Tab-separated table of all heavy atoms in Angstrom:
chain	number	residue	atom	x	y	z
A	187	VAL	N	48.213	21.056	55.852
A	187	VAL	CA	48.580	22.239	56.650
A	187	VAL	C	47.739	23.557	56.135
A	187	VAL	O	47.286	24.262	56.966
A	187	VAL	CB	50.138	22.499	56.573
A	187	VAL	CG1	50.400	23.891	57.283
A	187	VAL	CG2	50.819	21.436	57.272
A	188	LEU	N	47.765	23.793	54.928
A	188	LEU	CA	47.033	24.934	54.251
A	188	LEU	C	45.509	24.886	54.543
A	188	LEU	O	44.930	25.851	54.741
A	188	LEU	CB	47.298	25.010	52.789
A	188	LEU	CG	48.763	25.260	52.276
A	188	LEU	CD1	48.865	25.327	50.796
A	188	LEU	CD2	49.116	26.683	53.018
A	189	GLY	N	45.023	23.686	54.468
A	189	GLY	CA	43.505	23.437	54.755
A	189	GLY	C	43.077	23.725	56.184
A	189	GLY	O	42.181	24.522	56.468
A	190	PHE	N	43.826	23.149	57.071
A	190	PHE	CA	43.547	23.298	58.496
A	190	PHE	C	43.952	24.687	58.970
A	190	PHE	O	43.312	25.115	60.007
A	190	PHE	CB	44.107	22.153	59.310
A	190	PHE	CG	43.513	20.808	59.182
A	190	PHE	CD1	44.203	19.580	58.958
A	190	PHE	CD2	42.075	20.625	59.119
A	190	PHE	CE1	43.686	18.388	58.883
A	190	PHE	CE2	41.444	19.466	58.979
A	190	PHE	CZ	42.169	18.295	58.894
A	191	ALA	N	44.909	25.271	58.386
A	191	ALA	CA	45.400	26.632	58.889
A	191	ALA	C	44.342	27.677	58.680
A	191	ALA	O	44.349	28.683	59.367
A	191	ALA	CB	46.660	26.906	58.193
A	192	ASP	N	43.481	27.540	57.764
A	192	ASP	CA	42.425	28.537	57.316
A	192	ASP	C	41.085	27.843	57.047
A	192	ASP	O	40.606	27.958	56.033
A	192	ASP	CB	42.963	29.380	56.200
A	192	ASP	CG	42.084	30.580	55.943
A	192	ASP	OD1	41.437	31.066	56.921
A	192	ASP	OD2	42.125	31.135	54.843
A	193	HIS	N	40.533	27.223	58.151
A	193	HIS	CA	39.247	26.594	58.010
A	193	HIS	C	38.150	27.560	58.228
A	193	HIS	O	38.088	28.352	59.012
A	193	HIS	CB	39.205	25.321	58.894
A	193	HIS	CG	39.242	25.541	60.355
A	193	HIS	ND1	40.541	25.767	61.035
A	193	HIS	CD2	38.375	25.727	61.291
A	193	HIS	CE1	40.312	26.103	62.223
A	193	HIS	NE2	38.958	25.967	62.414
A	194	ALA	N	36.954	27.185	57.511
A	194	ALA	CA	35.770	28.008	57.622
A	194	ALA	C	34.472	27.326	57.985
A	194	ALA	O	33.456	27.901	58.243
A	194	ALA	CB	35.569	28.676	56.263
A	272	ALA	N	40.535	18.264	55.088
A	272	ALA	CA	41.277	19.600	55.140
A	272	ALA	C	40.696	20.451	53.972
A	272	ALA	O	40.476	21.747	54.047
A	272	ALA	CB	42.738	19.447	54.991
A	275	LEU	N	37.140	21.883	54.584
A	275	LEU	CA	37.098	22.839	55.708
A	275	LEU	C	37.625	24.222	55.244
A	275	LEU	O	37.303	25.199	55.941
A	275	LEU	CB	37.966	22.288	56.874
A	275	LEU	CG	37.316	21.120	57.674
A	275	LEU	CD1	38.314	20.613	58.768
A	275	LEU	CD2	36.023	21.460	58.265
A	276	VAL	N	38.544	24.189	54.279
A	276	VAL	CA	39.310	25.500	53.942
A	276	VAL	C	38.321	26.618	53.554
A	276	VAL	O	37.219	26.475	53.084
A	276	VAL	CB	40.310	25.234	52.911
A	276	VAL	CG1	39.605	24.980	51.564
A	276	VAL	CG2	41.333	26.279	52.780
A	277	LYS	N	38.764	27.748	53.884
A	277	LYS	CA	38.014	28.946	53.604
A	277	LYS	C	38.103	29.337	52.051
A	277	LYS	O	38.690	30.431	51.744
A	277	LYS	CB	38.518	30.153	54.447
A	277	LYS	CG	37.484	31.356	54.417
A	277	LYS	CD	37.988	32.427	55.303
A	277	LYS	CE	38.105	32.199	56.709
A	277	LYS	NZ	38.590	33.250	57.482
A	278	ILE	N	37.465	28.513	51.276
A	278	ILE	CA	37.334	28.813	49.815
A	278	ILE	C	35.922	28.358	49.467
A	278	ILE	O	35.350	27.511	49.991
A	278	ILE	CB	38.355	27.864	49.038
A	278	ILE	CG1	39.861	28.286	49.324
A	278	ILE	CG2	38.210	28.116	47.396
A	278	ILE	CD1	40.859	27.464	48.724
A	297	ARG	N	45.924	29.425	48.826
A	297	ARG	CA	46.490	29.524	50.192
A	297	ARG	C	48.035	29.471	50.260
A	297	ARG	O	48.579	29.790	51.351
A	297	ARG	CB	45.796	28.516	51.100
A	297	ARG	CG	44.378	28.712	51.254
A	297	ARG	CD	44.015	29.960	52.098
A	297	ARG	NE	42.621	30.323	52.262
A	297	ARG	CZ	42.047	31.263	51.500
A	297	ARG	NH1	42.723	31.853	50.513
A	297	ARG	NH2	40.729	31.400	51.692
Side-chain angles (χ1 to χ4, degrees):
V187 170
L188 293 177
F190 285 137
D192 190 19
H193 59 276
L275 290 176
V276 74
K277 191 182 294 183
I278 296 177
R297 291 292 174 262

